[in-house]
Amino acid sequence: MRLFLRLWPVLSLLVLAACDSNQVFEKNADFDNFTWTVQEKPAFEFEIQDTTQRYNISFNVRNASMYGYYNLYVKHQLFGPDGKPLSALLHQMILMDPQSGEPRGKGTGDIYDHQFLALRNQQFRQPGTYKIVLEQYMRQDQLPGIMAVGVRVAKAETK
């Protein structure tokens, strides 16, 4: 049953990704024991070829209802193909309603998936492999209940 609970969100994301022609990259990193430790800094590498296109970068978060906070602070660092840092920002993601405690996101049982737009209309100046590193920025070394985080890169829709 536990394996099914872990695979169900992945399978549903694969089905959704197959329907999205704007998606360039999406990958998630699972945490052992459903706990994100401060030492774990998942890195995601993605390829950009079209430098005329603008992209939206979103962060995926999967949490269990046992997560003890209504929000999650995550710092990102984005590096260019040459390894030089391009940006570093701190993001606050609201996982549960601060007043009612009701979970946000899409859920199955006590597991909830969220997607937060982190960088809108990002332009990449050179083709190549970019890397984004995520770091939990809470005041706790271990965050029980955070099961996975990930990155999604998609072409921004032009108006």
Side-chain angles (χ1 to χ4, degrees):
M1 182 65 172
R2 187 176 175 146
L3 178 61
F4 174 76
L5 289 175
R6 288 191 111 184
L7 290 178
W8 175 249
V10 172
L11 292 173
S12 61
L13 283 176
L14 286 174
V15 169
L16 289 174
C19 301
D20 186 358
S21 62
N22 288 332
Q23 181 175 308
V24 174
F25 172 85
E26 185 164 13
K27 188 170 183 184
N28 297 308
D30 293 327
F31 297 117
D32 292 336
N33 302 314
F34 305 145
T35 300
W36 191 0
T37 65
V38 75
Q39 296 86 3
E40 291 177 278
K41 298 176 185 176
F44 304 90
E45 292 187 354
F46 56 93
E47 196 74 25
I48 295 294
Q49 294 303 321
D50 185 355
T51 58
T52 64
Q53 175 70 49
R54 293 195 179 257
Y55 298 88
N56 290 331
I57 299 176
S58 300
F59 298 154
N60 300 329
V61 177
R62 180 175 303 130
N63 71 286
S65 60
M66 66 176 265
Y67 179 65
Y69 302 97
Y70 75 92
N71 64 351
L72 174 65
Y73 284 100
V74 173
K75 181 180 177 183
H76 91 262
Q77 291 183 289
L78 177 64
F79 298 91
D82 56 4
K84 292 182 182 177
L86 299 176
S87 68
L89 292 171
L90 182 64
H91 306 269
Q92 177 182 212
M93 299 174 218
I94 306 297
L95 304 178
M96 297 173 213
D97 185 279
Q99 303 299 320
S100 68
E102 285 294 314
R104 294 186 174 171
K106 296 178 180 164
T108 304
D110 67 343
I111 298 173
Y112 299 92
D113 289 316
H114 311 265
Q115 193 165 82
F116 300 96
L117 181 59
L119 298 169
R120 181 186 309 266
N121 290 321
Q122 179 74 38
Q123 186 171 16
F124 297 101
R125 305 236 180 254
Q126 63 188 95
T129 302
Y130 287 78
K131 180 166 94 171
I132 192 161
V133 178
L134 302 181
E135 175 181 358
Q136 66 104 325
Y137 225 70
M138 300 293 283
R139 294 181 180 169
Q140 188 173 331
D141 285 350
Q142 296 185 5
L143 292 178
I146 299 295
M147 302 170 69
V149 295
V151 171
R152 179 180 192 271
V153 180
K155 295 176 186 176
E157 294 185 21
T158 55
K159 294 182 181 182

mmCIF file of all heavy atoms in Angstrom, residues 104-145:
data_model
loop_
_atom_site.group_PDB
_atom_site.id
_atom_site.type_symbol
_atom_site.label_atom_id
_atom_site.label_comp_id
_atom_site.label_asym_id
_atom_site.label_seq_id
_atom_site.Cartn_x
_atom_site.Cartn_y
_atom_site.Cartn_z
ATOM 1 N N ARG A 104 -4.050 22.624 1.282
ATOM 2 C CA ARG A 104 -4.192 23.106 -0.092
ATOM 3 C C ARG A 104 -3.541 22.081 -0.994
ATOM 4 O O ARG A 104 -2.900 21.151 -0.553
ATOM 5 C CB ARG A 104 -3.525 24.470 -0.248
ATOM 6 C CG ARG A 104 -4.231 25.542 0.556
ATOM 7 C CD ARG A 104 -3.657 26.894 0.268
ATOM 8 N NE ARG A 104 -4.440 27.923 0.945
ATOM 9 C CZ ARG A 104 -4.062 29.172 1.009
ATOM 10 N NH1 ARG A 104 -2.935 29.562 0.444
ATOM 11 N NH2 ARG A 104 -4.808 30.053 1.636
ATOM 12 N N GLY A 105 -3.677 22.256 -2.267
ATOM 13 C CA GLY A 105 -3.090 21.301 -3.203
ATOM 14 C C GLY A 105 -4.064 20.195 -3.520
ATOM 15 O O GLY A 105 -5.210 20.192 -3.080
ATOM 16 N N LYS A 106 -3.594 19.259 -4.296
ATOM 17 C CA LYS A 106 -4.410 18.118 -4.701
ATOM 18 C C LYS A 106 -4.028 16.946 -3.824
ATOM 19 O O LYS A 106 -2.846 16.657 -3.657
ATOM 20 C CB LYS A 106 -4.183 17.804 -6.175
ATOM 21 C CG LYS A 106 -4.634 18.925 -7.077
ATOM 22 C CD LYS A 106 -4.357 18.640 -8.523
ATOM 23 C CE LYS A 106 -4.843 19.844 -9.330
ATOM 24 N NZ LYS A 106 -4.327 19.878 -10.657
ATOM 25 N N GLY A 107 -5.023 16.268 -3.275
ATOM 26 C CA GLY A 107 -4.717 15.221 -2.325
ATOM 27 C C GLY A 107 -5.357 13.902 -2.626
ATOM 28 O O GLY A 107 -6.417 13.830 -3.239
ATOM 29 N N THR A 108 -4.682 12.866 -2.158
ATOM 30 C CA THR A 108 -5.181 11.510 -2.153
ATOM 31 C C THR A 108 -4.917 10.968 -0.757
ATOM 32 O O THR A 108 -3.757 10.779 -0.392
ATOM 33 C CB THR A 108 -4.461 10.642 -3.197
ATOM 34 O OG1 THR A 108 -4.583 11.248 -4.474
ATOM 35 C CG2 THR A 108 -5.020 9.241 -3.234
ATOM 36 N N GLY A 109 -5.978 10.785 0.027
ATOM 37 C CA GLY A 109 -5.780 10.353 1.415
ATOM 38 C C GLY A 109 -5.163 11.478 2.212
ATOM 39 O O GLY A 109 -5.709 12.569 2.277
ATOM 40 N N ASP A 110 -4.015 11.220 2.791
ATOM 41 C CA ASP A 110 -3.343 12.257 3.589
ATOM 42 C C ASP A 110 -2.081 12.780 2.910
ATOM 43 O O ASP A 110 -1.193 13.317 3.550
ATOM 44 C CB ASP A 110 -3.038 11.740 4.992
ATOM 45 C CG ASP A 110 -1.989 10.634 5.015
ATOM 46 O OD1 ASP A 110 -1.731 10.040 3.943
ATOM 47 O OD2 ASP A 110 -1.421 10.369 6.084
ATOM 48 N N ILE A 111 -2.014 12.632 1.584
ATOM 49 C CA ILE A 111 -0.863 13.108 0.812
ATOM 50 C C ILE A 111 -1.342 14.206 -0.134
ATOM 51 O O ILE A 111 -2.344 14.043 -0.819
ATOM 52 C CB ILE A 111 -0.211 11.959 0.023
ATOM 53 C CG1 ILE A 111 0.320 10.902 0.992
ATOM 54 C CG2 ILE A 111 0.910 12.480 -0.873
ATOM 55 C CD1 ILE A 111 0.820 9.654 0.317
ATOM 56 N N TYR A 112 -0.592 15.318 -0.171
ATOM 57 C CA TYR A 112 -0.997 16.468 -0.974
ATOM 58 C C TYR A 112 0.139 16.901 -1.895
ATOM 59 O O TYR A 112 1.291 16.989 -1.479
ATOM 60 C CB TYR A 112 -1.409 17.631 -0.064
ATOM 61 C CG TYR A 112 -2.573 17.238 0.808
ATOM 62 C CD1 TYR A 112 -2.371 16.710 2.073
ATOM 63 C CD2 TYR A 112 -3.867 17.336 0.333
ATOM 64 C CE1 TYR A 112 -3.436 16.313 2.857
ATOM 65 C CE2 TYR A 112 -4.944 16.944 1.106
ATOM 66 C CZ TYR A 112 -4.716 16.430 2.373
ATOM 67 O OH TYR A 112 -5.777 16.028 3.132
ATOM 68 N N ASP A 113 -0.220 17.179 -3.146
ATOM 69 C CA ASP A 113 0.731 17.660 -4.141
ATOM 70 C C ASP A 113 0.430 19.119 -4.456
ATOM 71 O O ASP A 113 -0.726 19.496 -4.653
ATOM 72 C CB ASP A 113 0.632 16.843 -5.426
ATOM 73 C CG ASP A 113 1.180 15.444 -5.261
ATOM 74 O OD1 ASP A 113 2.263 15.306 -4.651
ATOM 75 O OD2 ASP A 113 0.547 14.483 -5.725
ATOM 76 N N HIS A 114 1.492 19.918 -4.502
ATOM 77 C CA HIS A 114 1.377 21.347 -4.768
ATOM 78 C C HIS A 114 2.334 21.707 -5.906
ATOM 79 O O HIS A 114 3.383 21.096 -6.054
ATOM 80 C CB HIS A 114 1.795 22.171 -3.547
ATOM 81 C CG HIS A 114 1.158 21.734 -2.274
ATOM 82 N ND1 HIS A 114 0.022 22.309 -1.772
ATOM 83 C CD2 HIS A 114 1.497 20.769 -1.385
ATOM 84 C CE1 HIS A 114 -0.302 21.735 -0.639
ATOM 85 N NE2 HIS A 114 0.574 20.787 -0.387
ATOM 86 N N GLN A 115 1.969 22.745 -6.641
ATOM 87 C CA GLN A 115 2.874 23.303 -7.640
ATOM 88 C C GLN A 115 2.807 24.821 -7.502
ATOM 89 O O GLN A 115 1.737 25.410 -7.576
ATOM 90 C CB GLN A 115 2.481 22.868 -9.042
ATOM 91 C CG GLN A 115 3.571 23.168 -10.054
ATOM 92 C CD GLN A 115 3.330 22.428 -11.344
ATOM 93 O OE1 GLN A 115 2.552 22.877 -12.175
ATOM 94 N NE2 GLN A 115 4.002 21.291 -11.504
ATOM 95 N N PHE A 116 3.975 25.428 -7.259
ATOM 96 C CA PHE A 116 4.074 26.864 -7.026
ATOM 97 C C PHE A 116 4.910 27.508 -8.121
ATOM 98 O O PHE A 116 6.047 27.084 -8.367
ATOM 99 C CB PHE A 116 4.745 27.142 -5.669
ATOM 100 C CG PHE A 116 3.996 26.562 -4.508
ATOM 101 C CD1 PHE A 116 4.336 25.327 -3.979
ATOM 102 C CD2 PHE A 116 2.936 27.254 -3.938
ATOM 103 C CE1 PHE A 116 3.651 24.795 -2.905
ATOM 104 C CE2 PHE A 116 2.240 26.730 -2.861
ATOM 105 C CZ PHE A 116 2.594 25.492 -2.344
ATOM 106 N N LEU A 117 4.366 28.525 -8.762
ATOM 107 C CA LEU A 117 5.125 29.270 -9.763
ATOM 108 C C LEU A 117 6.196 30.074 -9.034
ATOM 109 O O LEU A 117 5.891 30.922 -8.202
ATOM 110 C CB LEU A 117 4.204 30.186 -10.562
ATOM 111 C CG LEU A 117 4.866 31.016 -11.657
ATOM 112 C CD1 LEU A 117 5.565 30.132 -12.682
ATOM 113 C CD2 LEU A 117 3.830 31.902 -12.333
ATOM 114 N N ALA A 118 7.446 29.791 -9.325
ATOM 115 C CA ALA A 118 8.565 30.416 -8.617
ATOM 116 C C ALA A 118 9.239 31.509 -9.439
ATOM 117 O O ALA A 118 9.591 32.559 -8.922
ATOM 118 C CB ALA A 118 9.595 29.355 -8.222
ATOM 119 N N LEU A 119 9.451 31.260 -10.715
ATOM 120 C CA LEU A 119 10.092 32.223 -11.609
ATOM 121 C C LEU A 119 9.241 32.348 -12.859
ATOM 122 O O LEU A 119 9.149 31.409 -13.648
ATOM 123 C CB LEU A 119 11.510 31.779 -11.969
ATOM 124 C CG LEU A 119 12.494 31.661 -10.808
ATOM 125 C CD1 LEU A 119 13.768 30.963 -11.250
ATOM 126 C CD2 LEU A 119 12.802 33.015 -10.223
ATOM 127 N N ARG A 120 8.635 33.503 -13.045
ATOM 128 C CA ARG A 120 7.743 33.743 -14.179
ATOM 129 C C ARG A 120 8.519 34.424 -15.310
ATOM 130 O O ARG A 120 9.325 35.315 -15.082
ATOM 131 C CB ARG A 120 6.591 34.645 -13.738
ATOM 132 C CG ARG A 120 5.594 34.947 -14.836
ATOM 133 C CD ARG A 120 4.548 35.966 -14.383
ATOM 134 N NE ARG A 120 3.927 35.623 -13.125
ATOM 135 C CZ ARG A 120 2.775 34.953 -13.015
ATOM 136 N NH1 ARG A 120 2.145 34.567 -14.092
ATOM 137 N NH2 ARG A 120 2.279 34.684 -11.827
ATOM 138 N N ASN A 121 8.271 33.988 -16.534
ATOM 139 C CA ASN A 121 8.865 34.587 -17.733
ATOM 140 C C ASN A 121 10.389 34.677 -17.673
ATOM 141 O O ASN A 121 10.978 35.690 -18.043
ATOM 142 C CB ASN A 121 8.260 35.966 -18.009
ATOM 143 C CG ASN A 121 6.836 35.868 -18.455
ATOM 144 O OD1 ASN A 121 6.476 34.979 -19.218
ATOM 145 N ND2 ASN A 121 6.015 36.785 -17.989
ATOM 146 N N GLN A 122 11.002 33.614 -17.216
ATOM 147 C CA GLN A 122 12.467 33.556 -17.115
ATOM 148 C C GLN A 122 13.056 33.464 -18.517
ATOM 149 O O GLN A 122 12.602 32.670 -19.338
ATOM 150 C CB GLN A 122 12.876 32.329 -16.294
ATOM 151 C CG GLN A 122 14.352 32.136 -16.123
ATOM 152 C CD GLN A 122 14.955 33.109 -15.147
ATOM 153 O OE1 GLN A 122 14.359 33.438 -14.145
ATOM 154 N NE2 GLN A 122 16.142 33.577 -15.451
ATOM 155 N N GLN A 123 14.047 34.295 -18.780
ATOM 156 C CA GLN A 123 14.729 34.213 -20.074
ATOM 157 C C GLN A 123 16.135 33.687 -19.848
ATOM 158 O O GLN A 123 16.844 34.125 -18.947
ATOM 159 C CB GLN A 123 14.787 35.576 -20.751
ATOM 160 C CG GLN A 123 15.356 35.490 -22.150
ATOM 161 C CD GLN A 123 15.210 36.791 -22.920
ATOM 162 O OE1 GLN A 123 14.965 37.838 -22.351
ATOM 163 N NE2 GLN A 123 15.379 36.707 -24.219
ATOM 164 N N PHE A 124 16.517 32.725 -20.676
ATOM 165 C CA PHE A 124 17.852 32.146 -20.614
ATOM 166 C C PHE A 124 18.653 32.687 -21.781
ATOM 167 O O PHE A 124 18.239 32.573 -22.927
ATOM 168 C CB PHE A 124 17.767 30.618 -20.650
ATOM 169 C CG PHE A 124 17.032 30.047 -19.471
ATOM 170 C CD1 PHE A 124 15.711 29.641 -19.582
ATOM 171 C CD2 PHE A 124 17.663 29.926 -18.247
ATOM 172 C CE1 PHE A 124 15.035 29.117 -18.496
ATOM 173 C CE2 PHE A 124 16.994 29.401 -17.150
ATOM 174 C CZ PHE A 124 15.674 29.009 -17.276
ATOM 175 N N ARG A 125 19.788 33.295 -21.520
ATOM 176 C CA ARG A 125 20.547 34.029 -22.531
ATOM 177 C C ARG A 125 21.434 33.145 -23.409
ATOM 178 O O ARG A 125 21.847 33.557 -24.468
ATOM 179 C CB ARG A 125 21.395 35.098 -21.858
ATOM 180 C CG ARG A 125 20.564 36.017 -20.987
ATOM 181 C CD ARG A 125 20.743 37.443 -21.382
ATOM 182 N NE ARG A 125 19.935 38.316 -20.550
ATOM 183 C CZ ARG A 125 18.829 38.919 -20.953
ATOM 184 N NH1 ARG A 125 18.390 38.726 -22.163
ATOM 185 N NH2 ARG A 125 18.157 39.711 -20.142
ATOM 186 N N GLN A 126 21.733 31.928 -22.924
ATOM 187 C CA GLN A 126 22.568 31.046 -23.740
ATOM 188 C C GLN A 126 22.017 29.621 -23.680
ATOM 189 O O GLN A 126 21.471 29.205 -22.663
ATOM 190 C CB GLN A 126 24.026 31.094 -23.291
ATOM 191 C CG GLN A 126 24.262 30.614 -21.878
ATOM 192 C CD GLN A 126 25.680 30.851 -21.424
ATOM 193 O OE1 GLN A 126 25.956 31.855 -20.793
ATOM 194 N NE2 GLN A 126 26.568 29.937 -21.728
ATOM 195 N N PRO A 127 22.133 28.886 -24.777
ATOM 196 C CA PRO A 127 21.672 27.499 -24.762
ATOM 197 C C PRO A 127 22.616 26.643 -23.926
ATOM 198 O O PRO A 127 23.789 26.968 -23.761
ATOM 199 C CB PRO A 127 21.709 27.091 -26.236
ATOM 200 C CG PRO A 127 22.671 28.026 -26.876
ATOM 201 C CD PRO A 127 22.656 29.291 -26.074
ATOM 202 N N GLY A 128 22.072 25.574 -23.385
ATOM 203 C CA GLY A 128 22.902 24.664 -22.612
ATOM 204 C C GLY A 128 22.158 24.084 -21.426
ATOM 205 O O GLY A 128 20.938 24.193 -21.317
ATOM 206 N N THR A 129 22.934 23.482 -20.524
ATOM 207 C CA THR A 129 22.375 22.816 -19.356
ATOM 208 C C THR A 129 22.405 23.760 -18.163
ATOM 209 O O THR A 129 23.468 24.240 -17.769
ATOM 210 C CB THR A 129 23.168 21.535 -19.029
ATOM 211 O OG1 THR A 129 23.145 20.684 -20.176
ATOM 212 C CG2 THR A 129 22.580 20.810 -17.843
ATOM 213 N N TYR A 130 21.232 24.001 -17.604
ATOM 214 C CA TYR A 130 21.072 24.845 -16.422
ATOM 215 C C TYR A 130 20.831 23.954 -15.211
ATOM 216 O O TYR A 130 20.344 22.829 -15.349
ATOM 217 C CB TYR A 130 19.896 25.807 -16.610
ATOM 218 C CG TYR A 130 20.206 26.909 -17.590
ATOM 219 C CD1 TYR A 130 20.167 26.675 -18.960
ATOM 220 C CD2 TYR A 130 20.567 28.172 -17.147
ATOM 221 C CE1 TYR A 130 20.471 27.676 -19.861
ATOM 222 C CE2 TYR A 130 20.873 29.186 -18.043
ATOM 223 C CZ TYR A 130 20.819 28.931 -19.398
ATOM 224 O OH TYR A 130 21.131 29.926 -20.291
ATOM 225 N N LYS A 131 21.181 24.462 -14.046
ATOM 226 C CA LYS A 131 21.003 23.697 -12.816
ATOM 227 C C LYS A 131 20.308 24.564 -11.782
ATOM 228 O O LYS A 131 20.667 25.731 -11.608
ATOM 229 C CB LYS A 131 22.355 23.224 -12.274
ATOM 230 C CG LYS A 131 22.238 22.406 -10.986
ATOM 231 C CD LYS A 131 23.531 21.679 -10.656
ATOM 232 C CE LYS A 131 24.371 22.488 -9.732
ATOM 233 N NZ LYS A 131 25.544 21.743 -9.216
ATOM 234 N N ILE A 132 19.316 23.986 -11.122
ATOM 235 C CA ILE A 132 18.648 24.680 -10.034
ATOM 236 C C ILE A 132 18.741 23.794 -8.792
ATOM 237 O O ILE A 132 18.533 22.588 -8.858
ATOM 238 C CB ILE A 132 17.189 25.041 -10.401
ATOM 239 C CG1 ILE A 132 16.619 26.018 -9.390
ATOM 240 C CG2 ILE A 132 16.331 23.822 -10.553
ATOM 241 C CD1 ILE A 132 15.413 26.768 -9.890
ATOM 242 N N VAL A 133 19.125 24.414 -7.685
ATOM 243 C CA VAL A 133 19.308 23.718 -6.414
ATOM 244 C C VAL A 133 18.269 24.258 -5.431
ATOM 245 O O VAL A 133 18.111 25.474 -5.302
ATOM 246 C CB VAL A 133 20.733 23.938 -5.856
ATOM 247 C CG1 VAL A 133 20.906 23.244 -4.510
ATOM 248 C CG2 VAL A 133 21.785 23.456 -6.855
ATOM 249 N N LEU A 134 17.577 23.348 -4.752
ATOM 250 C CA LEU A 134 16.576 23.728 -3.765
ATOM 251 C C LEU A 134 17.086 23.402 -2.364
ATOM 252 O O LEU A 134 17.703 22.352 -2.149
ATOM 253 C CB LEU A 134 15.260 23.001 -4.012
ATOM 254 C CG LEU A 134 14.616 23.213 -5.376
ATOM 255 C CD1 LEU A 134 13.305 22.452 -5.466
ATOM 256 C CD2 LEU A 134 14.404 24.689 -5.653
ATOM 257 N N GLU A 135 16.802 24.297 -1.433
ATOM 258 C CA GLU A 135 17.252 24.133 -0.054
ATOM 259 C C GLU A 135 16.107 24.524 0.873
ATOM 260 O O GLU A 135 15.521 25.592 0.717
ATOM 261 C CB GLU A 135 18.459 25.048 0.154
ATOM 262 C CG GLU A 135 19.000 25.123 1.526
ATOM 263 C CD GLU A 135 20.187 26.091 1.619
ATOM 264 O OE1 GLU A 135 20.603 26.677 0.591
ATOM 265 O OE2 GLU A 135 20.685 26.257 2.736
ATOM 266 N N GLN A 136 15.780 23.645 1.813
ATOM 267 C CA GLN A 136 14.728 24.011 2.761
ATOM 268 C C GLN A 136 15.300 25.059 3.708
ATOM 269 O O GLN A 136 16.435 24.991 4.130
ATOM 270 C CB GLN A 136 14.154 22.786 3.490
ATOM 271 C CG GLN A 136 15.107 22.064 4.419
ATOM 272 C CD GLN A 136 14.838 22.361 5.898
ATOM 273 O OE1 GLN A 136 14.456 23.471 6.264
ATOM 274 N NE2 GLN A 136 15.080 21.380 6.732
ATOM 275 N N TYR A 137 14.483 26.056 4.004
ATOM 276 C CA TYR A 137 14.952 27.212 4.759
ATOM 277 C C TYR A 137 14.056 27.467 5.977
ATOM 278 O O TYR A 137 13.707 28.600 6.292
ATOM 279 C CB TYR A 137 14.981 28.436 3.828
ATOM 280 C CG TYR A 137 16.246 29.249 3.952
ATOM 281 C CD1 TYR A 137 17.454 28.752 3.502
ATOM 282 C CD2 TYR A 137 16.220 30.512 4.517
ATOM 283 C CE1 TYR A 137 18.610 29.508 3.603
ATOM 284 C CE2 TYR A 137 17.376 31.273 4.625
ATOM 285 C CZ TYR A 137 18.566 30.756 4.160
ATOM 286 O OH TYR A 137 19.716 31.509 4.274
ATOM 287 N N MET A 138 13.671 26.388 6.626
ATOM 288 C CA MET A 138 12.876 26.493 7.840
ATOM 289 C C MET A 138 13.837 26.538 9.030
ATOM 290 O O MET A 138 15.027 26.345 8.894
ATOM 291 C CB MET A 138 11.921 25.304 7.942
ATOM 292 C CG MET A 138 10.948 25.185 6.778
ATOM 293 S SD MET A 138 9.726 26.496 6.679
ATOM 294 C CE MET A 138 8.587 25.982 7.954
ATOM 295 N N ARG A 139 13.301 26.782 10.201
ATOM 296 C CA ARG A 139 14.133 26.854 11.407
ATOM 297 C C ARG A 139 14.226 25.506 12.110
ATOM 298 O O ARG A 139 14.283 25.432 13.323
ATOM 299 C CB ARG A 139 13.550 27.891 12.361
ATOM 300 C CG ARG A 139 13.635 29.273 11.815
ATOM 301 C CD ARG A 139 13.087 30.259 12.771
ATOM 302 N NE ARG A 139 13.195 31.601 12.201
ATOM 303 C CZ ARG A 139 12.615 32.644 12.714
ATOM 304 N NH1 ARG A 139 11.898 32.545 13.796
ATOM 305 N NH2 ARG A 139 12.767 33.810 12.143
ATOM 306 N N GLN A 140 14.225 24.461 11.316
ATOM 307 C CA GLN A 140 14.258 23.114 11.842
ATOM 308 C C GLN A 140 15.150 22.283 10.930
ATOM 309 O O GLN A 140 15.001 22.332 9.715
ATOM 310 C CB GLN A 140 12.825 22.570 11.862
ATOM 311 C CG GLN A 140 12.662 21.262 12.537
ATOM 312 C CD GLN A 140 11.183 20.884 12.647
ATOM 313 O OE1 GLN A 140 10.313 21.733 12.726
ATOM 314 N NE2 GLN A 140 10.927 19.589 12.637
ATOM 315 N N ASP A 141 16.063 21.512 11.510
ATOM 316 C CA ASP A 141 16.984 20.712 10.710
ATOM 317 C C ASP A 141 16.292 19.609 9.928
ATOM 318 O O ASP A 141 16.729 19.242 8.847
ATOM 319 C CB ASP A 141 18.071 20.106 11.588
ATOM 320 C CG ASP A 141 19.106 21.132 12.016
ATOM 321 O OD1 ASP A 141 19.089 22.263 11.487
ATOM 322 O OD2 ASP A 141 19.929 20.810 12.888
ATOM 323 N N GLN A 142 15.231 19.043 10.485
ATOM 324 C CA GLN A 142 14.494 17.987 9.819
ATOM 325 C C GLN A 142 13.034 18.392 9.705
ATOM 326 O O GLN A 142 12.444 18.862 10.676
ATOM 327 C CB GLN A 142 14.601 16.684 10.604
ATOM 328 C CG GLN A 142 16.016 16.164 10.677
ATOM 329 C CD GLN A 142 16.087 14.809 11.352
ATOM 330 O OE1 GLN A 142 15.073 14.206 11.680
ATOM 331 N NE2 GLN A 142 17.295 14.312 11.548
ATOM 332 N N LEU A 143 12.480 18.199 8.521
ATOM 333 C CA LEU A 143 11.071 18.526 8.275
ATOM 334 C C LEU A 143 10.295 17.244 7.990
ATOM 335 O O LEU A 143 10.145 16.844 6.837
ATOM 336 C CB LEU A 143 10.938 19.486 7.096
ATOM 337 C CG LEU A 143 11.462 20.891 7.289
ATOM 338 C CD1 LEU A 143 11.314 21.704 6.017
ATOM 339 C CD2 LEU A 143 10.758 21.575 8.445
ATOM 340 N N PRO A 144 9.792 16.580 9.039
ATOM 341 C CA PRO A 144 8.980 15.392 8.806
ATOM 342 C C PRO A 144 7.689 15.773 8.088
ATOM 343 O O PRO A 144 7.099 16.810 8.368
ATOM 344 C CB PRO A 144 8.674 14.859 10.212
ATOM 345 C CG PRO A 144 9.378 15.728 11.172
ATOM 346 C CD PRO A 144 9.949 16.889 10.439
ATOM 347 N N GLY A 145 7.305 14.940 7.151
ATOM 348 C CA GLY A 145 6.076 15.185 6.411
ATOM 349 C C GLY A 145 6.302 15.766 5.028
ATOM 350 O O GLY A 145 5.378 15.787 4.218
#
